[in-house]
Amino acid sequence: MAMAAVRGYGAARHVATISPRAAVAGRSFYTSRRVHMPAVKAFNKDEPAAPVLKTSIPGPKASEAIKELDAVFETRSINMIADYTQSAGNYIADPDGNVLLDVYAQIASIPVGYNNSELRKIASTPEMIDAIVNRPALGNFPSHNWAELLKSGVLKVAPKGLDNVYTAMAGSDANEIAYKAAFMYRRQQERGGPEVDFTAQELETVMNNQSPGSAQLSILSFKTSFHGRLFGCLSTTRSKPIHKLDIPAFDWPQATFPQLKYPLEQHVEENAKAEQASLDEVEHLIKTWHLPPAAVVVEPIQSEGGDNHASPAFFQKLRALTTKHNILLIVDEVQTGVGATGKFWAHDHWNLQEPPDMVTFSKKAQTAGYYYRSKDLRPNKPYRQFNTWMGDPSKVLLFRGIIDEIERHDLVNHTAKVGDYLYGKLESLAGKYPEHFQNLRGKGQGTFIAFDNPKRDAFLAKAKTFGINIGGSGAEAVRLRPMLIFQEHHADILIEALEKVAKAL
Amino acid sequence: MAMAAVRGYGAARHVATISPRAAVAGRSFYTSRRVHMPAVKAFNKDEPAAPVLKTSIPGPKASEAIKELDAVFETRSINMIADYTQSAGNYIADPDGNVLLDVYAQIASIPVGYNNSELRKIASTPEMIDAIVNRPALGNFPSHNWAELLKSGVLKVAPKGLDNVYTAMAGSDANEIAYKAAFMYRRQQERGGPEVDFTAQELETVMNNQSPGSAQLSILSFKTSFHGRLFGCLSTTRSKPIHKLDIPAFDWPQATFPQLKYPLEQHVEENAKAEQASLDEVEHLIKTWHLPPAAVVVEPIQSEGGDNHASPAFFQKLRALTTKHNILLIVDEVQTGVGATGKFWAHDHWNLQEPPDMVTFSKKAQTAGYYYRSKDLRPNKPYRQFNTWMGDPSKVLLFRGIIDEIERHDLVNHTAKVGDYLYGKLESLAGKYPEHFQNLRGKGQGTFIAFDNPKRDAFLAKAKTFGINIGGSGAEAVRLRPMLIFQEHHADILIEALEKVAKAL
């Protein structure tokens, strides 16, 4: 940690900010002025007090790094080259000395800040070293303390009603193995229970990828959803053509996700109708689709697809509908989970009577997997849900450290409060610049906030020139995905920059 | 490392061995006798000189651990509970104090031994800590030194002719993204080149999982192959029904893999015919399958499917055949790669004129991904081959350390030699107990050796009672998958135990 810099707390200090004029011209020079910083301590003491801009982005060193990398690795999707050794807390640094306030956080996957000191300690414990150098095949040779590790970490934050876990590598495979569990469960029920064995015909046909051995079933997902990009989960992903073009897909059904209108309080009846229409479509598809759905998969907030929300009532009815038709409900919390919505799991906002059957997770958890509702969702025989690694204890250790850090600082409640503060400020901005902050959404959902901007891509690019790293989603959305250590004084910096962006566009 | 124990080198020492009689009775007690150990140093100085058996397996502590784990995690596939803090080099320990010679090595995924001291050092470097706590979204925010890290590690051992890499999480997703690259490449060619854009119809149909947006193409694989268990790669996996039952699959083609007869020198003509028949079938399927193959995927040695080999000539002709029909060739080196066959990549044995188009890797690399032959296999637009993490720099660092360790000890050549030694000993055993060591195979393939045993599962279980952890594959195969630090004195211990197993069965 060579971060020299001013510290992120104190009353008033010098802050380097970029001149908007220079930014417009694509050049960068700095003015130094006194700004008032809130008298609160940043969670990470190495954070600068504000963004630092020294060059355009990419600067000369970053450009050189991209050129070198392009010879051997994909570079066309690079947003910025980072220097993680110089990044701290909410701030991402680059090799040219630029330091941006990061409200994108590695596509919503950094929970407690860059170079979090507690995680750095955990990363160098004997337990972590052991986990790194002796990676087990967890299904065959789990460590004697694997249960204890799960129970003191991943399972400590298990969603209500779900007490089992299957660990995995990332969000995509977490969803796929949840789908596999759903297919095996459904076929087991059709067969007459876990004790009924496979038929000779099933054993034979499956080796030819034919039914009845290969199930003629489906997973029902929603339009504009995102569930990953492996072949199975990609068949349920419906956000953008670029994710799907040229990849063979299963002929699985999709229902319209309610497209709510904002502000919500002005469209109550309309929105309720949209939600009911969506539920009716789900039920119709369940009853009629030629490959019957074994499960419905849904994100609490469609994240990649543009931050599309639905009400708790919608999800309660969706749970009731799936129960009624004996279809499993998989809640994909890969992006929404681990605190950012002001609850540990976004579906905690729904107050469900009956929990989801499975909840998938990854990103901020740094590990991945699915929680499931009881042992009856385990396949009836071993080696049906299996692979070499089945997850990674080193990442499970890291998640335990993240959970401890979240508890120590009460970061979920913290994020709920900071989210309210941020939302209020954004509402004011939206009042002032309505064309730039359309359909503001995420009220009461922590910092999981978004708005639409018709010049979205220019908006994101411009934000960098004012010291903010920010991401988009869907066609026109700007999505805010700060870390859980995002505070009110960061919100102030963000709001100030966003206003500059709006003025500059 | 609390491994007390005698050390794995020296001329003659006391070694605890289990009495076969006690083993047969399912009990364990120890005799101490003087045995001659070879005067060579073990790569890991903390290794015991021989297996240590203190209880049956699972012993009381392991049984307790399984019971505790079963409440929250799948346990029916557990082979043994391990205590990695007490494992060293080629030896895996359990919580009851048993220490077995491990020639299964976490399903062939431990390259340079448990608690390798060099890897332990690497695991606690600032670079590793940085990689663990600041995991990037590699496609968007790679670190400024990502190119250097790739070039000094993963790419240093790139197969001949392949100079680009796409990193991934594990073997399954490595294969799936290679398949995706193949589909995108094929459709791009059909469209008329990378500059030709998608049609409106493609953009529309793909969102409904329909053609032409979703490609009506396939991946051709071989019977008895294993390529992973996600939905796409599982459609190419053809080893066992248990992997595939109830999971929807793509209607993709499979060709018969040549089933060679042993000993090879007694079945030259027959085997050549089997290989030609397989190639003819591949060509027939390429020409006629209703979903044209974009690629053929093949393992150099079908590993999970029973250690099925084919000759270099077979693979040379397969390469020629795929080139002739403008089909990509993907070589799946997930299990065969990183030294165990006596070459760094098993396909190095083939002396191909033209390299494969893609080579996938994982397991002993501890990271995963695919090497590809040139930048023209990159999709024509960004975000087509993308996901949040796209691999993991901490694992890429680990692979670099593994490569350094392999080079420092010349472990690939070492494994070639030890493999020859081991194969010779097994040949003698097979002469003595032909019914227990059938179809011995893997000559000249390092320690990647297997044989068939009609009582295979009993054989594997019995081996534990003589201090050996060993795995199976296919229907009847016993597969040897020692680490690269396996030495002649380990081979002697193994051979002695295998003879005891044969006698006891």
Side-chain angles (χ1 to χ4, degrees), chain B residues 414-469:
Chain B
H414 161 82
T415 297
K417 279 179 215 147
V418 173
D420 289 345
Y421 177 83
L422 176 61
Y423 192 91
K425 296 272 178 181
L426 284 165
E427 253 182 336
S428 304
L429 266 191
K432 225 165 146 185
Y433 309 94
E435 74 282 20
H436 288 296
F437 301 91
Q438 297 175 14
N439 303 316
L440 184 65
R441 50 204 184 269
K443 188 174 187 174
Q445 301 286 316
T447 56
F448 214 98
I449 298 169
F451 52 85
D452 293 327
N453 186 295
K455 298 180 190 168
R456 193 267 314 274
D457 291 348
F459 191 102
L460 302 180
K462 185 62 70 184
K464 274 211 174 48
T465 69
F466 296 109
I468 307 292
N469 184 41

Coordinates of all heavy atoms in Angstrom, one line a residue, chain B residues 414-469:
Chain B
H414 N 11.6 -35.7 -15.6 CA 11.6 -36.6 -14.5 C 10.4 -37.6 -14.5 O 10.6 -38.8 -14.3 CB 11.6 -35.8 -13.2 CG 11.1 -36.5 -12.0 ND1 12.0 -37.3 -11.2 CD2 9.9 -36.7 -11.4 CE1 11.3 -37.9 -10.2 NE2 10.0 -37.5 -10.3
T415 N 9.3 -37.1 -14.8 CA 8.1 -37.9 -14.8 C 8.1 -38.9 -16.0 O 7.6 -40.0 -15.9 CB 6.8 -37.0 -14.9 OG1 6.7 -36.2 -13.7 CG2 5.5 -37.8 -15.0
A416 N 8.7 -38.5 -17.1 CA 8.9 -39.5 -18.2 C 9.7 -40.6 -17.7 O 9.3 -41.8 -18.0 CB 9.5 -38.8 -19.4
K417 N 10.8 -40.4 -17.0 CA 11.7 -41.4 -16.6 C 11.0 -42.3 -15.5 O 11.1 -43.5 -15.5 CB 13.0 -40.8 -16.0 CG 14.0 -40.5 -17.1 CD 15.2 -39.8 -16.5 CE 15.8 -38.8 -17.4 NZ 16.4 -37.7 -16.7
V418 N 10.4 -41.7 -14.5 CA 9.8 -42.4 -13.4 C 8.6 -43.2 -14.0 O 8.4 -44.4 -13.6 CB 9.3 -41.5 -12.3 CG1 8.4 -42.3 -11.3 CG2 10.4 -40.8 -11.6
G419 N 8.0 -42.7 -15.0 CA 6.9 -43.4 -15.6 C 7.4 -44.7 -16.3 O 6.7 -45.7 -16.2
D420 N 8.5 -44.6 -17.0 CA 9.1 -45.8 -17.6 C 9.4 -46.8 -16.5 O 9.2 -48.0 -16.7 CB 10.4 -45.4 -18.4 CG 10.1 -44.6 -19.7 OD1 8.9 -44.6 -20.1 OD2 11.0 -44.0 -20.2
Y421 N 10.0 -46.4 -15.5 CA 10.3 -47.3 -14.4 C 9.1 -48.0 -13.8 O 9.0 -49.2 -13.7 CB 11.0 -46.5 -13.3 CG 11.4 -47.2 -12.0 CD1 12.6 -48.0 -12.0 CD2 10.6 -47.2 -10.9 CE1 12.9 -48.7 -10.8 CE2 10.9 -47.9 -9.8 CZ 12.1 -48.7 -9.7 OH 12.4 -49.4 -8.6
L422 N 8.1 -47.1 -13.6 CA 6.8 -47.7 -13.0 C 6.1 -48.6 -14.0 O 5.6 -49.7 -13.6 CB 5.9 -46.5 -12.7 CG 4.5 -46.8 -12.2 CD1 4.5 -47.6 -10.9 CD2 3.7 -45.5 -12.0
Y423 N 6.2 -48.3 -15.2 CA 5.5 -49.1 -16.2 C 6.2 -50.5 -16.3 O 5.5 -51.5 -16.4 CB 5.6 -48.5 -17.6 CG 4.7 -49.2 -18.6 CD1 3.4 -48.8 -18.8 CD2 5.2 -50.3 -19.4 CE1 2.5 -49.5 -19.7 CE2 4.3 -50.9 -20.3 CZ 3.0 -50.5 -20.4 OH 2.2 -51.2 -21.3
G424 N 7.5 -50.5 -16.2 CA 8.3 -51.7 -16.2 C 7.9 -52.6 -15.0 O 7.6 -53.8 -15.2
K425 N 7.8 -52.0 -13.9 CA 7.4 -52.8 -12.7 C 5.9 -53.3 -12.8 O 5.6 -54.5 -12.4 CB 7.4 -51.9 -11.4 CG 8.8 -51.4 -11.1 CD 9.5 -52.4 -10.2 CE 10.9 -51.9 -9.9 NZ 11.7 -52.8 -9.0
L426 N 5.1 -52.5 -13.4 CA 3.7 -53.0 -13.6 C 3.6 -54.1 -14.6 O 2.8 -55.0 -14.5 CB 2.8 -51.8 -14.0 CG 2.4 -50.8 -12.9 CD1 1.9 -49.5 -13.5 CD2 1.4 -51.4 -11.9
E427 N 4.5 -54.0 -15.6 CA 4.5 -55.1 -16.6 C 4.8 -56.4 -15.9 O 4.2 -57.5 -16.2 CB 5.5 -54.8 -17.7 CG 4.9 -54.4 -19.0 CD 5.9 -54.2 -20.1 OE1 7.1 -53.8 -19.8 OE2 5.6 -54.3 -21.3
S428 N 5.8 -56.4 -15.0 CA 6.2 -57.6 -14.2 C 5.0 -58.1 -13.4 O 4.7 -59.3 -13.4 CB 7.4 -57.3 -13.3 OG 8.4 -56.8 -14.1
L429 N 4.3 -57.1 -12.7 CA 3.2 -57.5 -11.9 C 2.1 -58.2 -12.8 O 1.5 -59.2 -12.4 CB 2.6 -56.3 -11.3 CG 3.0 -55.9 -9.8 CD1 2.0 -54.8 -9.3 CD2 2.9 -57.1 -8.9
A430 N 1.9 -57.6 -14.0 CA 0.9 -58.1 -14.9 C 1.2 -59.5 -15.4 O 0.3 -60.3 -15.6 CB 0.7 -57.1 -16.1
G431 N 2.5 -59.7 -15.5 CA 3.0 -61.1 -15.9 C 2.6 -62.1 -14.8 O 2.2 -63.2 -15.0
K432 N 2.8 -61.6 -13.5 CA 2.6 -62.5 -12.4 C 1.1 -62.6 -12.0 O 0.6 -63.7 -11.6 CB 3.3 -61.8 -11.2 CG 4.1 -62.7 -10.3 CD 5.0 -61.9 -9.4 CE 5.2 -62.5 -8.1 NZ 6.0 -61.7 -7.2
Y433 N 0.3 -61.6 -12.2 CA -1.1 -61.6 -11.8 C -2.0 -61.0 -13.0 O -2.6 -60.0 -12.9 CB -1.4 -60.7 -10.6 CG -0.5 -61.0 -9.4 CD1 0.7 -60.2 -9.2 CD2 -0.9 -62.0 -8.5 CE1 1.5 -60.5 -8.1 CE2 0.0 -62.2 -7.4 CZ 1.1 -61.5 -7.2 OH 1.9 -61.8 -6.2
P434 N -2.0 -61.8 -14.1 CA -2.6 -61.2 -15.3 C -4.1 -60.8 -15.1 O -4.5 -59.9 -15.8 CB -2.4 -62.3 -16.4 CG -2.1 -63.6 -15.6 CD -1.4 -63.1 -14.3
E435 N -4.8 -61.6 -14.3 CA -6.2 -61.2 -14.1 C -6.4 -59.9 -13.4 O -7.5 -59.3 -13.5 CB -6.9 -62.4 -13.4 CG -6.7 -62.5 -11.9 CD -5.3 -63.2 -11.6 OE1 -4.4 -63.2 -12.5 OE2 -5.2 -63.7 -10.4
H436 N -5.4 -59.4 -12.7 CA -5.6 -58.2 -11.9 C -5.0 -57.0 -12.6 O -5.3 -55.9 -12.1 CB -4.9 -58.4 -10.5 CG -5.7 -59.3 -9.6 ND1 -7.0 -58.9 -9.2 CD2 -5.4 -60.5 -9.1 CE1 -7.4 -59.9 -8.4 NE2 -6.5 -60.9 -8.3
F437 N -4.2 -57.2 -13.6 CA -3.6 -56.0 -14.3 C -3.8 -56.2 -15.8 O -2.8 -56.4 -16.5 CB -2.1 -55.9 -13.9 CG -1.9 -55.8 -12.4 CD1 -1.7 -56.9 -11.6 CD2 -1.9 -54.5 -11.8 CE1 -1.5 -56.7 -10.2 CE2 -1.7 -54.4 -10.5 CZ -1.5 -55.5 -9.6
Q438 N -5.0 -56.1 -16.2 CA -5.4 -56.4 -17.6 C -5.2 -55.1 -18.4 O -5.4 -54.0 -17.9 CB -6.8 -56.8 -17.7 CG -7.1 -58.2 -17.0 CD -8.5 -58.6 -17.0 OE1 -9.3 -58.0 -17.8 NE2 -8.9 -59.5 -16.2
N439 N -4.8 -55.3 -19.7 CA -4.8 -54.2 -20.6 C -3.9 -53.0 -20.1 O -4.3 -51.9 -20.2 CB -6.2 -53.7 -21.0 CG -7.0 -54.7 -21.5 OD1 -6.6 -55.5 -22.4 ND2 -8.3 -54.8 -21.1
L440 N -2.8 -53.4 -19.5 CA -1.9 -52.3 -19.1 C -1.6 -51.3 -20.2 O -1.2 -51.8 -21.3 CB -0.6 -53.0 -18.6 CG 0.5 -52.0 -17.9 CD1 -0.1 -51.4 -16.6 CD2 1.8 -52.8 -17.7
R441 N -1.7 -50.1 -19.9 CA -1.5 -49.1 -21.0 C -0.9 -47.8 -20.4 O -1.0 -47.5 -19.2 CB -2.9 -48.8 -21.7 CG -4.0 -48.5 -20.8 CD -5.3 -48.8 -21.5 NE -6.5 -48.5 -20.7 CZ -7.1 -49.3 -19.9 NH1 -6.7 -50.5 -19.6 NH2 -8.2 -48.9 -19.2
G442 N -0.3 -47.0 -21.3 CA 0.3 -45.8 -21.0 C 1.9 -45.8 -21.1 O 2.6 -45.0 -20.5
K443 N 2.3 -46.8 -21.8 CA 3.8 -47.0 -22.0 C 4.3 -45.7 -22.7 O 3.8 -45.3 -23.8 CB 4.1 -48.2 -22.8 CG 5.6 -48.6 -22.9 CD 5.8 -49.9 -23.6 CE 7.3 -50.3 -23.6 NZ 7.5 -51.6 -24.1
G444 N 5.4 -45.2 -22.2 CA 5.9 -44.0 -22.8 C 5.1 -42.7 -22.6 O 5.4 -41.7 -23.2
Q445 N 4.1 -42.8 -21.7 CA 3.3 -41.7 -21.4 C 3.4 -41.2 -20.0 O 2.5 -40.9 -19.3 CB 1.8 -42.1 -21.6 CG 1.5 -42.6 -23.0 CD 1.4 -41.4 -24.0 OE1 0.8 -40.4 -23.7 NE2 2.0 -41.6 -25.2
G446 N 4.7 -41.2 -19.5 CA 5.0 -40.8 -18.1 C 4.3 -41.7 -17.1 O 4.3 -42.9 -17.3
T447 N 3.7 -41.1 -16.1 CA 3.0 -41.8 -15.1 C 1.5 -42.0 -15.4 O 0.8 -42.4 -14.5 CB 3.2 -41.2 -13.7 OG1 2.8 -39.8 -13.8 CG2 4.7 -41.3 -13.3
F448 N 1.1 -41.5 -16.6 CA -0.3 -41.6 -17.0 C -0.6 -43.0 -17.4 O -0.8 -43.3 -18.6 CB -0.5 -40.6 -18.1 CG -1.9 -39.9 -18.1 CD1 -2.1 -38.7 -17.5 CD2 -3.0 -40.6 -18.6 CE1 -3.3 -38.0 -17.5 CE2 -4.2 -39.9 -18.6 CZ -4.4 -38.7 -18.0
I449 N -0.7 -43.9 -16.4 CA -0.8 -45.3 -16.7 C -2.1 -45.9 -16.1 O -2.6 -45.4 -15.1 CB 0.4 -46.0 -16.0 CG1 1.8 -45.5 -16.7 CG2 0.4 -47.6 -16.1 CD1 3.0 -45.9 -15.9
A450 N -2.6 -46.9 -16.7 CA -3.8 -47.5 -16.2 C -3.8 -49.0 -16.6 O -3.1 -49.5 -17.4 CB -5.1 -46.9 -16.8
F451 N -4.7 -49.7 -15.9 CA -4.9 -51.1 -16.2 C -6.4 -51.4 -15.8 O -7.0 -50.7 -15.0 CB -3.9 -52.1 -15.5 CG -3.8 -51.8 -14.0 CD1 -4.7 -52.4 -13.1 CD2 -2.9 -51.0 -13.5 CE1 -4.6 -52.2 -11.7 CE2 -2.8 -50.7 -12.1 CZ -3.7 -51.4 -11.2
D452 N -6.9 -52.5 -16.3 CA -8.2 -52.9 -15.9 C -8.2 -54.0 -14.9 O -7.3 -54.9 -14.8 CB -9.0 -53.4 -17.1 CG -9.2 -52.3 -18.2 OD1 -9.4 -51.2 -17.7 OD2 -9.2 -52.6 -19.4
N453 N -9.2 -54.0 -14.0 CA -9.4 -55.0 -13.0 C -10.9 -55.3 -12.9 O -11.7 -54.4 -12.7 CB -8.8 -54.6 -11.7 CG -8.9 -55.7 -10.7 OD1 -9.9 -56.2 -10.3 ND2 -7.7 -56.2 -10.2
P454 N -11.3 -56.6 -13.1 CA -12.7 -56.9 -13.1 C -13.4 -56.6 -11.7 O -14.6 -56.4 -11.6 CB -12.8 -58.4 -13.4 CG -11.4 -58.9 -13.3 CD -10.5 -57.8 -13.4
K455 N -12.6 -56.6 -10.6 CA -13.1 -56.2 -9.3 C -12.6 -54.8 -8.9 O -12.1 -54.6 -7.8 CB -12.7 -57.2 -8.3 CG -13.1 -58.7 -8.5 CD -12.6 -59.6 -7.4 CE -12.9 -61.0 -7.7 NZ -12.1 -61.9 -6.8
R456 N -12.7 -53.9 -9.9 CA -12.1 -52.6 -9.7 C -12.4 -51.9 -8.4 O -11.5 -51.5 -7.7 CB -12.4 -51.7 -10.9 CG -11.5 -50.5 -11.0 CD -12.1 -49.2 -10.3 NE -13.5 -49.0 -10.7 CZ -13.9 -48.4 -11.7 NH1 -13.1 -47.9 -12.6 NH2 -15.2 -48.2 -11.9
D457 N -13.7 -51.8 -8.1 CA -14.1 -51.0 -6.9 C -13.5 -51.6 -5.6 O -13.0 -50.9 -4.7 CB -15.6 -50.8 -6.8 CG -16.1 -49.9 -7.9 OD1 -15.3 -49.3 -8.6 OD2 -17.3 -49.9 -8.1
A458 N -13.5 -53.0 -5.6 CA -12.9 -53.7 -4.4 C -11.4 -53.4 -4.4 O -10.8 -53.2 -3.3 CB -13.2 -55.2 -4.5
F459 N -10.8 -53.4 -5.6 CA -9.4 -53.1 -5.7 C -9.0 -51.8 -5.1 O -8.1 -51.6 -4.3 CB -9.0 -53.2 -7.2 CG -7.5 -53.2 -7.5 CD1 -6.8 -54.3 -7.8 CD2 -6.7 -52.0 -7.4 CE1 -5.5 -54.3 -8.1 CE2 -5.4 -52.0 -7.6 CZ -4.7 -53.2 -8.0
L460 N -9.8 -50.7 -5.5 CA -9.5 -49.4 -5.0 C -9.7 -49.3 -3.5 O -8.9 -48.7 -2.7 CB -10.5 -48.4 -5.6 CG -10.4 -48.3 -7.1 CD1 -11.4 -47.2 -7.6 CD2 -9.1 -48.0 -7.7
A461 N -10.7 -50.0 -2.9 CA -11.0 -49.9 -1.5 C -9.9 -50.7 -0.7 O -9.4 -50.2 0.3 CB -12.3 -50.6 -1.2
K462 N -9.5 -51.8 -1.3 CA -8.4 -52.6 -0.7 C -7.1 -51.8 -0.6 O -6.3 -51.9 0.3 CB -8.3 -53.9 -1.5 CG -7.3 -54.9 -0.9 CD -7.7 -55.4 0.5 CE -9.0 -56.3 0.4 NZ -9.4 -56.7 1.8
A463 N -6.8 -51.1 -1.7 CA -5.6 -50.3 -1.8 C -5.4 -49.4 -0.5 O -4.3 -49.3 0.0 CB -5.5 -49.5 -3.1
K464 N -6.5 -48.8 -0.1 CA -6.4 -47.9 1.1 C -5.9 -48.7 2.3 O -5.1 -48.1 3.1 CB -7.8 -47.3 1.4 CG -8.1 -46.1 0.6 CD -9.0 -45.1 1.4 CE -9.2 -43.9 0.6 NZ -9.5 -44.0 -0.8
T465 N -6.3 -49.9 2.4 CA -5.8 -50.7 3.6 C -4.4 -51.0 3.5 O -3.8 -51.5 4.5 CB -6.6 -52.0 3.8 OG1 -6.3 -52.9 2.7 CG2 -8.1 -51.8 3.7
F466 N -3.8 -50.8 2.4 CA -2.3 -51.0 2.2 C -1.6 -49.6 2.1 O -0.5 -49.6 1.6 CB -2.0 -51.9 1.1 CG -2.5 -53.3 1.3 CD1 -3.5 -53.8 0.6 CD2 -1.9 -54.1 2.3 CE1 -4.0 -55.1 0.8 CE2 -2.4 -55.4 2.5 CZ -3.4 -55.9 1.8
G467 N -2.3 -48.6 2.4 CA -1.7 -47.3 2.4 C -1.7 -46.5 1.1 O -0.9 -45.5 1.0
I468 N -2.5 -46.9 0.2 CA -2.5 -46.2 -1.1 C -3.8 -45.6 -1.4 O -4.9 -46.2 -1.4 CB -2.2 -47.2 -2.2 CG1 -0.9 -48.0 -1.9 CG2 -2.1 -46.5 -3.6 CD1 0.4 -47.2 -2.0
N469 N -3.8 -44.3 -1.8 CA -5.0 -43.6 -2.3 C -4.9 -43.6 -3.8 O -4.0 -43.0 -4.4 CB -5.1 -42.2 -1.8 CG -6.4 -41.5 -2.2 OD1 -7.4 -42.2 -2.2 ND2 -6.3 -40.3 -2.6

